[in-house]
Amino acid sequence: MSRIQPTTGTGAPGLGATRVAAVVGFLVFVELTSGIIQGMMPTLLPELGSVLGVGAGDLNWVNAAQLLAAAVSVPLFGRLGDMYGHRRLLRIAVLCLAVGSVLVAWAPSFEVLLVGRVLQGPLAALLPLEIGLVRDRLDASGARSAIAMLVGALTFGASAGMVVAGLLREAISSVHGVLWIPAAATVLCAGVVFFLVPESKTRAQGRVDWAGAGLLSIGLATLLLGISQGPKWGWTDAATLGLFAVAAITLTVWVLVELRVAEPIVDIRLTVQRTLLPVYAASFLLGTALFGAQTALVLFVSSPADKVGYGFGYDALGIAWLMLPSGVMAFIASLCASRLFKLIGGRGTLGLSGGLMAIGYLFLIAAHDEPWQFVVVNIIVGTGVGLALSAMPVLIVDSSPHERTAIATGIYNTAKTVGGSVAGAVFAAILTALTFQGTEVPTIDAYTTVWWCCATVSVLVAAAAAVVARPAKSAN
C-alpha cells in the first residue's frame, strides 16, 4: 500500500482530513472501471455491429464519436474543474459516463449507440480531474504516488477489459447483456464520487472559453463527417464539399478566436512553440495509430475466412486473447520506461517507440494469415505504444514553461484524442471505399491500406522525436 499523506484542511462533508488518503482507493476504482469500459468496446464491436446491422466502415464511428467528444471534454472539463472544483466536474463527468453507458447497453439502433458513445466522451476527463484533486488535497510525495496508482489502474483496466468482455460473453447470451455490466459499474462510480470523494480547495480565476469549445466541436465534427461520407456521396458531391468548406471556415475562425481570448481552451501560441510543436504532432500521430487501427484489427480477426478469404472468425473471447498482448506489453513498457529514459533520454525513447510501431505494422502487412502473427504484432506495437505514452509527458514537461505545464499536458491529451477521431473517420472511408462488389464487406486491400497508414504515421512519430531534440539541446 502506498504511503500517501493528506494535507491539512477539511474534506467533503462527513469526510475528515485524516481519511483523504483513503479516497485515492475510491478514485482507483473509478479509473479501473474507466479502463475496463475502454478495453471492452473493441472486443465486442464486431458482434455489436452484426446485431445492429452496421457495416465495417460505419463501425469506425463508434470509436471516432467517443474520441471527438473526448477531445473537447478534456480541456473544457479541466478548465471548469480548476474554476469550480474538481469533484463537482468529476460528478458531472461520471453522470455523463453512466447515462452514456446505459444508452450503449440498451442501444436498439446505431444512432442511439452513437449518442451513448458521445456521452461517454467525458470519460477521458476523469483522470485529469482526479489528478487535479489529489494534487490539491495531498502533499507532493503523496500526490505522485496517487497519480501513479490512478494511471496504473487505468492501464490495467484497459488490458483486463478485453478479457473481461470475452469471458462475460461466454456466460451471457447477448452482447447487450454484457454491456449492462459496465453500465452498472458506472452507476456505482457515480455513488463513489458523489458521497465518498472530497472537493478540492483551490480555485482558479478567469473565464471559460465557450466560443472556442463550440467552434472546435463544430469544426471537427463537420471535417470528420465529410471524410467518412466522401466514399458514399462522392468526393466532388456538393454535400461533401459543403462539409469541408464549413469545417475549414469554422476551424479558421476557431484559431483566430483562440489567439484573441485571454484564456483559450487550446493555447495556440504555446502549441506552436518550436520545442513543443513536434511533440504535439507526434501525439496526434500516435492517436492515429493507437485508436484508429483498433476497429480494423478486431474486424479483421473476427471475419470468417471461408466467406471473405481472410480473418479467423473469432468470437469475443478469441478476440480478447489475441489482443491482450498489446495491452500487457504497453503496461510493462510504461513501467520500464523510466530506466530507458536514463539511457537514451525521452527523445530517444520516443524515436524507439515510433520505430517499433512501424516494424509491427510492416510485419502485419507482410504476414497476417495466422493468429500467431497478430500476437507478434501486438507485442511489438504494444511495447512501442507504452514507451510513447510514457515519453511524451516527459518531453512536454522538459520543453514547456514551468508555470504552464498543466496547460501543455492538456493540449497533449487533446491532440492524441483528435488524432484518434480523425483516423477513425479516415479509416471508415477506406473500409467503405474498398469493398467487394455489391456488398459493404471490406476487401483485404482495405485492411492493408489501413496498416500502411499506421506504419507511415509511426515513422513520422520517430521523425518528430529527431526534430524535437534540437531545441532541447540549445536550451540546456
Side-chain angles (χ1 to χ4, degrees), residues 230-247:
K232 294 181 180 179
W233 298 346
W235 293 108
T236 57
D237 183 81
T240 305
L241 295 176
L243 286 172
F244 285 140
V246 171

Side-chain angles (χ1 to χ4, degrees), residues 240-273:
T240 305
L241 295 176
L243 286 172
F244 285 140
V246 171
I249 293 171
T250 304
L251 291 174
T252 300
V253 174
W254 171 71
V255 171
L256 296 175
V257 168
E258 298 303 271
L259 290 173
R260 290 175 63 89
V261 298
E263 295 169 338
I265 192 170
V266 176
D267 192 332
I268 301 295
R269 290 186 175 87
L270 182 64
T271 303
V272 298
Q273 286 189 6

Side-chain angles (χ1 to χ4, degrees), residues 384-418:
V385 167
L387 293 177
L389 292 175
S390 300
M392 286 182 184
V394 172
L395 290 173
I396 290 170
V397 169
D398 289 345
S399 303
S400 61
H402 178 73
E403 71 279 5
R404 312 198 76 184
T405 300
I407 297 174
T409 306
I411 297 173
Y412 150 69
N413 284 322
T414 301
K416 186 174 60 178
T417 51
V418 169

